[in-house]
């Protein structure tokens, strides 16, 4: 139904407007008696064999929703009813910010891809925390993807990440430090060895000082070289990270079916979707071959089918996340993957 009826209508709208329309209607429908049970009946496939123990947390299944979809923790209960084993909110910053100028989200249907330059648009960590305190579903793991405000200098970035940890600590199950988005000017410079060590050490120090410290993960770009990935592994050990998220969006525009002129006309931004699948899997495999199970990986990038998810897991991912595939394939994708994993 989604691909035959809903998707064609949504794809006639501006991508960001369609996103808000989905949010508004899902939120409204979920309030109606019986809707939660209906959604679970349609989409929420669960099986004991799907349970995963990762980062010291129990995930009811290994298929999660990546950060960027529910930035402000508006739909965590509704998304759980669609069958996700975990939902990662954000990227959240300490203070609210509008993000980049619109339009800033674009579809590449020929490639089943998206280009976005959202720029960490969100209502701030405090607003997200308040919503998470009110959620009903406590079984689904919630991750908090955290970043810095655009006007915060890199030299003071750690203060922003620490502020997010303090605001969200009581309401999320794990944190992801996002320094790999291409849409905040200068942010990716924090992936360099020395700035990254200093940032993670400060964030980890504050995290460990709080009651029940949360697993702390790092989200990395697919555009890193092998030597940079080796540095990431060393940094992960040095700062006692619990795991990695591989990968974020890419700045590459290689081998797209969409015409180069059209892609260029869209401007800068991170590319996600099918074109990212192979590179994301390469990064996962490289990291896992060197770190093994000692550093669990959440695999993300180009998962549009059960086979894509299995590929990430076979490469070494402990869990997987959807975003662009969820938009192109619809909510049934979550259950299809989980059913395929059982067998």
């Amino acid at each position: 139904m989604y691909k035959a009826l809903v998707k064609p209508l949504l794809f006639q709208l501006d991508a960001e407007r369609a996103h808000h329309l989905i949010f508004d209607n899902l939120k409204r429908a979920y309030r109606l008696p019986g809707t939660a049970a209906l959604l679970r009946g349609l989409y929420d496939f669960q099986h004991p064999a799907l349970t995963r123990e990762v980062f010291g947390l129990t995930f009811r299944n290994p298929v999660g929703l990546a950060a960027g979809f529910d930035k402000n923790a508006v739909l965590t209960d509704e998304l759980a009813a669609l069958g996700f084993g975990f939902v990662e909110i954000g990227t959240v910053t300490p203070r609210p910010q509008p993000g980049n100028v619109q339009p800033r989200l674009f579809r590449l249907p020929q490639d089943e891809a998206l280009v976005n330059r959202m720029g960490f648009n969100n209502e701030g960590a405090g607003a997200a925390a308040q919503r998470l305190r009110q959620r009903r579903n406590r079984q689904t793991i919630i991750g908090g993807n955290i970043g810095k405000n655009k006007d915060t200098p890199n030299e003071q970035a750690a203060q922003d990440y620490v502020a997010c940890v303090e605001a969200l600590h009581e309401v999320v199950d794990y944190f992801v430090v996002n320094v790999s988005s291409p849409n905040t000017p200068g942010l990716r410079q924090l992936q360099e060895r020395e700035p990254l060590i200093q940032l993670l050490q400060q964030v980890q120090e504050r995290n460990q000082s709080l009651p029940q410290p949360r697993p702390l993960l790092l989200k990395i770009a697919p555009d890193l070289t092998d030597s940079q990935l080796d540095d990431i592994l060393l940094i992960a050990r040095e700062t006692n990270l619990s795991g990695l998220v591989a990968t974020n969006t890419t700045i590459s525009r290689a081998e797209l079916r969409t015409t180069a002129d059209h892609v260029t006309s869209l401007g800068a931004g991170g590319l996600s979707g099918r074109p990212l699948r192979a590179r994301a899997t390469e990064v996962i495999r490289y990291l896992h071959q060197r770190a093994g199970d000692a550093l669990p990986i959440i695999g993300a990038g180009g998962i549009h089918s059960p086979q894509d998810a299995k590929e990430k897991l076979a490469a070494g991912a402990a869990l997987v996340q959807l975003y662009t595939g969820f938009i192109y394939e619809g909510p049934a994708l979550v259950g299809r993957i989980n059913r395929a994993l059982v067998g």
Side-chain angles (χ1 to χ4, degrees), residues 199-219:
L199 186 151
L200 291 174
Q201 284 177 337
Q202 292 181 60
V203 176
Q204 188 68 283
E205 181 180 356
R206 183 59 179 133
N207 178 44
Q208 293 297 325
S209 73
L210 294 167
Q212 297 182 315
R214 304 305 187 206
L216 185 67
L217 286 69
L218 175 69
K219 189 165 189 174

Side-chain angles (χ1 to χ4, degrees), residues 69-112:
F69 191 87
D70 190 5
K71 291 176 177 289
N72 296 304
V74 172
L75 288 180
T76 54
D77 286 338
E78 292 83 350
L79 292 164
L82 297 180
F84 285 104
F86 61 110
V87 174
E88 194 171 303
I89 67 151
T91 297
V92 170
T93 56
R95 292 172 282 111
Q97 62 180 25
N100 293 323
V101 175
Q102 298 185 35
R104 54 194 180 182
L105 180 63
F106 309 93
R107 305 183 192 94
L108 303 182
Q110 288 179 281
D111 294 285
E112 295 186 53

Side-chain angles (χ1 to χ4, degrees), residues 9-35:
L9 293 174
L10 291 174
F11 274 43
Q12 291 182 30
L13 302 175
D14 168 79
E16 190 168 355
R17 183 183 174 194
H19 183 86
H20 291 303
L21 184 65
I22 292 170
F23 265 54
D24 293 343
N25 284 304
L26 184 54
K27 194 74 178 176
R28 190 177 297 113
Y30 196 77
R31 296 191 186 104
L32 299 175
T35 300

Side-chain angles (χ1 to χ4, degrees), residues 29-283:
Y30 196 77
R31 296 191 186 104
L32 299 175
T35 300
L38 176 63
L39 291 176
R40 285 193 293 269
L42 288 172
Y43 300 115
D44 188 8
F45 176 78
Q46 300 299 328
H47 190 282
L50 292 170
T51 302
R52 299 290 190 274
E53 298 286 337
V54 189
F55 320 126
L57 302 172
T58 301
F59 294 78
R60 64 191 184 119
N61 72 62
V63 183
L65 183 68
F69 191 87
D70 190 5
K71 291 176 177 289
N72 296 304
V74 172
L75 288 180
T76 54
D77 286 338
E78 292 83 350
L79 292 164
L82 297 180
F84 285 104
F86 61 110
V87 174
E88 194 171 303
I89 67 151
T91 297
V92 170
T93 56
R95 292 172 282 111
Q97 62 180 25
N100 293 323
V101 175
Q102 298 185 35
R104 54 194 180 182
L105 180 63
F106 309 93
R107 305 183 192 94
L108 303 182
Q110 288 179 281
D111 294 285
E112 295 186 53
L114 297 173
V115 172
N116 94 82
R117 51 172 176 272
M118 303 300 287
F120 290 175
N121 57 305
N122 75 108
E123 296 173 10
Q130 183 60 32
R131 290 196 181 97
L132 290 173
R133 290 187 187 98
Q134 298 170 353
R135 71 187 180 106
R136 299 176 188 174
N137 185 311
R138 300 286 171 173
Q139 292 182 311
T140 301
I141 297 292
I142 301 294
N145 188 296
I146 57 177
K148 78 174 188 71
N149 282 108
K150 182 177 181 179
D151 60 0
T152 300
N154 279 1
E155 295 75 21
Q156 299 172 22
Q159 298 174 20
D160 276 14
Y161 289 90
V162 167
C164 289
V165 167
E166 291 172 343
L168 294 168
H169 172 262
E170 294 181 356
V171 291
V172 302
D173 299 291
Y174 69 88
F175 285 106
V176 177
V177 172
N178 186 356
V179 293
S180 52
S181 169
N183 301 318
T184 296
L187 184 72
R188 282 191 169 194
Q189 295 172 12
L190 293 173
Q191 290 185 119
E192 298 297 326
R193 179 178 173 79
E194 292 307 317
L196 186 56
I197 288 176
Q198 292 177 22
L199 186 151
L200 291 174
Q201 284 177 337
Q202 292 181 60
V203 176
Q204 188 68 283
E205 181 180 356
R206 183 59 179 133
N207 178 44
Q208 293 297 325
S209 73
L210 294 167
Q212 297 182 315
R214 304 305 187 206
L216 185 67
L217 286 69
L218 175 69
K219 189 165 189 174
I220 63 173
D223 309 305
L224 299 178
T225 64
D226 287 353
S227 63
Q228 288 173 315
L229 293 175
D230 291 337
D231 280 343
I232 291 293
L233 292 174
L234 292 173
I235 291 167
R237 288 194 209 74
E238 188 170 336
T239 57
N240 197 30
L241 292 183
S242 297
L244 300 172
V245 180
T247 63
N248 211 323
T249 58
T250 180
I251 57 174
S252 172
R253 300 293 189 267
E255 299 181 6
L256 295 178
R257 296 178 181 177
T258 306
T259 64
D261 286 346
H262 180 64
V263 173
T264 300
S265 73
L266 301 180
L271 177 78
S272 62
R274 278 198 185 276
L276 187 55
R277 180 192 61 79
R279 177 55 187 164
T281 302
E282 285 178 3
V283 172

